Amino acid sequence: MSMNSYIFLLILTFLLKPGNASIHVYNQESFNEVGNSYLLSGGSEGISSSSHSRSFVRFDNITFRRPKSAAKSRGLIQVVLFEAADRNNIGGSAYGGQRSICCTSDLSKLQGCKQGEVIRIPSANDLNWPIILKLHFSRNSLSTSMKNHEEISISKTGMYNLFFIACDPKLKGVVMSGKTVWKNSDGYLPGRMAPLMRFYVFMSLVYFLLAVIWFTQYIRFRKDILQLQHCISAVVGLGLFQMILWYFEYANFNSTGMRPVVLTTWVVTVGAVRKTIARLLVLCVSMGYGVVRPTLGGLTSKVLLLGITYFLASELLDITEYVGTINDLSGRARLFLVLPDALLDAFLILWIFTALSKTLEQLQVKRSAVKLDIYRKFSNALAAVVFASVAWIAYELYFKATDPFSERWQSAWIITAFWDILAFALLCIICYLWAPSQSSQRYAYSEELGEEYDEEEAQSLTREKPDGDISLVEKKEKSVGGTHVFDEDGEAEEDKRE
């Protein structure tokens, strides 16, 4: 493919508005000038087709209005629907020059197209595709409408793109209103999002299993619970609640084609709270809260400020991206909202590993082997999670860079699902390392030197029995049928009376 053709296709890609909903609403949308045409993207959806249910794209109340200056002549609007694999079948170029959407005098001679209309080359797989519907303005009329509830049936699974195109220069300034309904064989949920509904059923089950195990131990050893374990319980509960809400949100979306504002707001708010508490939990654990220090001291206000800031950034991003939206965010808008969230995550990671390094040093100085072993396992797990996150971000960039036309839409759901799986894996590790038990208090902070030694160290000291250590000797109980007598040097002599 020539460079001009590639640039042309990239322009079409950027003009596309990939749908986050199966119902696309247009409210006085303006056409954009692209090459020798005026074009408006109607959406892009992955549509699955099957023999047991019909898939379609339906047009409801689609109306076009043109400027008064163009009312004296007839005008033509063309509705173009094509699969991503057939993108080269729309438009053409004369003598290898710049690619055009609309047929010109030169192209009409070369390709036999009709001047002033969209160039269409029949697909090799189906001669009826791409689909082009024509809509004319009557003379002296400022508006025209499509037949209401007109449908285009989809018989092949693929990524479909919809464009409204005007080739007449007099139609510059035309606007459109109405909506289109995109339906898959299994419901209104977009094809790229459909697997997520089943995924959230799975995540709800694994979170429920984790919650049962955790809270069973939590209730069983409630008298020995640490403050840290209260925070872990909150994260487990919020995670389960969020996964259940996501499932109901997607199920409702699939049955109605629209995202309910109230339910979606609840989902993203619970998710923002969970993400914030989870990150602060990891930070507090890394700082040794409740283990090497009883409180956060002067850092409490800074930790709370960071938590509030992160919650607001995450909430704003999720609400803008999910609540009441019809299309995905544009590149610039998403970058503007994602950047603060990403910077805060980077700052948190830096703070977490700095605090974790100091905590490990303190535990080494205090010779607390059990706590040190737990924190070493935690630091290794955390390093693995960060490495996996960076690797996945790189893969996500590669995935999107190598798939500009979203032809791998059926596997795109994995990009979103991975982050939920990674967060769950880290939560499981934390639950395992700080699980409620009879010996939970040995993880707790203590100012007494004697309590800084764990059970293993105490047992090793008992076995050694160094000379002159009267405190160890005094721990022995009197043997049955005999007494112990101490001489002046502190050594025990047994009375051998029987």
Side-chain angles (χ1 to χ4, degrees):
M1 185 168 60
S2 66
M3 181 60 69
N4 288 331
S5 300
Y6 186 73
I7 294 174
F8 168 78
L9 291 174
L10 282 180
I11 292 174
L12 289 183
T13 303
F14 289 128
L15 288 172
L16 282 172
K17 299 177 181 179
N20 250 357
S22 287
I23 297 179
H24 297 260
V25 180
Y26 320 101
N27 184 20
Q28 298 295 314
E29 303 288 339
S30 301
F31 282 53
N32 300 301
E33 187 174 357
V34 178
N36 64 343
S37 67
Y38 296 95
L39 180 147
L40 173 65
S41 170
S44 173
E45 295 283 3
I47 299 181
S48 60
S49 177
S50 67
S51 57
H52 67 271
S53 182
R54 196 165 66 92
S55 303
F56 59 81
V57 177
R58 189 177 72 224
F59 301 88
D60 291 346
N61 302 316
I62 298 294
T63 302
F64 302 90
R65 295 190 62 86
R66 61 179 175 174
K68 291 182 179 180
S69 58
K72 295 182 181 180
S73 62
R74 291 172 59 86
L76 174 65
I77 299 290
Q78 292 180 277
V79 181
V80 182
L81 180 67
F82 62 93
E83 190 187 356
D86 296 329
R87 56 187 176 273
N88 292 326
N89 292 53
I90 297 296
S93 61
Y95 310 109
Q98 184 177 1
R99 192 174 180 85
S100 302
I101 298 175
C102 297
C103 185
T104 62
S105 58
D106 291 337
L107 287 170
S108 64
K109 298 175 183 178
L110 292 173
Q111 299 187 5
C113 58
K114 188 174 181 179
Q115 188 174 350
E117 294 186 2
V118 174
I119 301 172
R120 173 190 177 274
I121 302 172
S123 171
N125 299 321
D126 189 344
L127 296 178
N128 294 322
W129 284 84
I131 298 291
I132 295 184
L133 304 178
K134 298 180 180 180
L135 190 65
H136 293 274
F137 282 94
S138 300
R139 193 179 300 274
N140 297 323
S141 175
L142 294 179
S143 65
T144 185
S145 300
M146 291 185 66
K147 181 181 178 181
N148 204 23
H149 304 311
E150 184 169 355
E151 294 181 355
I152 298 177
S153 296
I154 306 296
S155 58
K156 178 185 175 184
T157 298
M159 172 60 67
Y160 289 87
N161 303 287
L162 175 65
F163 286 98
F164 302 94
I165 302 175
C167 293
D168 189 350
K170 294 180 181 179
L171 291 179
K172 180 180 180 179
V174 68
V175 296
M176 188 191 77
S177 299
K179 67 179 181 180
T180 55
V181 179
W182 306 58
K183 185 181 181 300
N184 280 289
S185 57
D186 296 327
Y188 291 98
L189 198 62
R192 76 189 83 182
M193 299 172 64
L196 287 174
M197 187 168 69
R198 295 186 292 272
F199 169 74
Y200 285 120
V201 172
F202 168 77
M203 290 303 297
S204 297
L205 292 175
V206 295
Y207 262 101
F208 177 75
L209 180 62
L210 176 63
V212 169
I213 296 173
W214 175 264
F215 285 108
T216 299
Q217 294 294 101
Y218 183 86
I219 296 173
R220 182 182 176 187
F221 303 105
R222 58 186 177 277
K223 295 182 180 180
D224 299 314
I225 294 298
L226 304 177
Q227 190 68 29
L228 187 64
Q229 291 165 335
H230 292 311
C231 298
I232 297 174
S233 300
V235 176
V236 172
L238 286 171
L240 174 60
F241 188 41
Q242 184 192 15
M243 295 302 110
I244 294 174
L245 284 179
W246 267 126
Y247 168 73
F248 281 113
E249 200 268 350
Y250 273 66
N252 183 83
F253 189 7
N254 190 51
S255 61
T256 64
M258 295 293 290
R259 312 194 84 152
V261 174
V262 175
L263 180 57
T264 310
T265 302
W266 264 102
V267 174
V268 299
T269 302
V270 171
V273 172
R274 181 191 64 83
K275 287 189 292 185
T276 302
I277 295 178
R279 280 158 174 77
L280 294 185
L281 171 64
V282 174
L283 178 60
C284 291
V285 169
S286 302
M287 296 171 72
Y289 171 65
V291 178
V292 299
R293 56 196 306 172
T295 65
L296 296 179
L299 295 175
T300 302
S301 57
K302 295 181 180 179
V303 171
L304 291 176
L305 179 61
L306 178 62
I308 294 172
T309 305
Y310 185 87
F311 169 77
L312 293 176
S314 180
E315 180 79 349
L316 179 61
L317 172 63
D318 291 343
I319 284 181
T320 307
E321 189 169 5
Y322 295 111
V323 178
T325 59
I326 301 301
N327 299 308
D328 284 340
L329 295 176
S330 64
R332 291 182 180 179
R334 181 171 177 80
L335 179 63
F336 179 77
L337 293 170
V338 168
L339 194 58
D341 204 64
L343 290 176
L344 287 171
D345 266 330
F347 178 76
L348 265 167
I349 291 172
L350 181 62
W351 194 357
I352 285 170
F353 278 101
T354 302
L356 192 56
S357 177
K358 293 180 180 178
T359 301
L360 287 170
E361 290 179 1
Q362 292 177 359
L363 291 174
Q364 286 176 338
V365 170
K366 294 179 179 180
R367 295 180 297 168
S368 184
V370 171
K371 296 177 184 178
L372 183 60
D373 181 61
I374 290 175
Y375 266 84
R376 279 176 175 166
K377 291 178 181 177
F378 175 69
S379 61
N380 291 336
L382 200 58
V385 167
V386 172
F387 176 79
S389 299
V390 174
W392 192 255
I393 290 173
Y395 171 75
E396 185 175 351
L397 293 174
Y398 167 80
F399 184 89
K400 292 182 178 180
T402 56
D403 188 31
F405 303 104
S406 301
E407 293 180 271
R408 297 201 299 266
W409 57 275
Q410 289 175 302
S411 59
W413 66 275
I414 301 174
I415 300 295
T416 301
F418 174 82
W419 298 110
D420 288 319
I421 294 173
L422 190 65
F424 177 77
L426 182 59
L427 179 59
C428 287
I429 292 171
I430 293 175
C431 289
Y432 172 75
L433 294 176
W434 280 276
S437 65
Q438 292 178 342
S439 56
S440 291
Q441 292 299 324
R442 69 176 176 173
Y443 307 138
Y445 171 82
S446 175
E447 293 182 353
E448 297 182 10
L449 181 60
E451 291 185 11
E452 289 297 332
Y453 291 93
D454 55 61
E455 294 176 354
E456 294 177 2
E457 293 169 328
Q459 290 174 4
S460 64
L461 288 174
T462 304
R463 287 193 296 268
E464 290 174 5
K465 301 179 183 178
D467 294 338
D469 193 348
I470 301 177
S471 61
L472 293 178
V473 179
E474 289 179 345
K475 289 182 181 178
K476 296 181 178 179
E477 296 180 357
K478 293 182 179 181
S479 59
V480 178
T483 59
H484 294 85
V485 180
F486 293 90
D487 59 14
E488 293 179 356
D489 295 328
E491 296 181 349
E493 293 183 356
E494 184 178 356
D495 187 358
K496 298 182 179 179
R497 291 176 301 173
E498 297 183 356

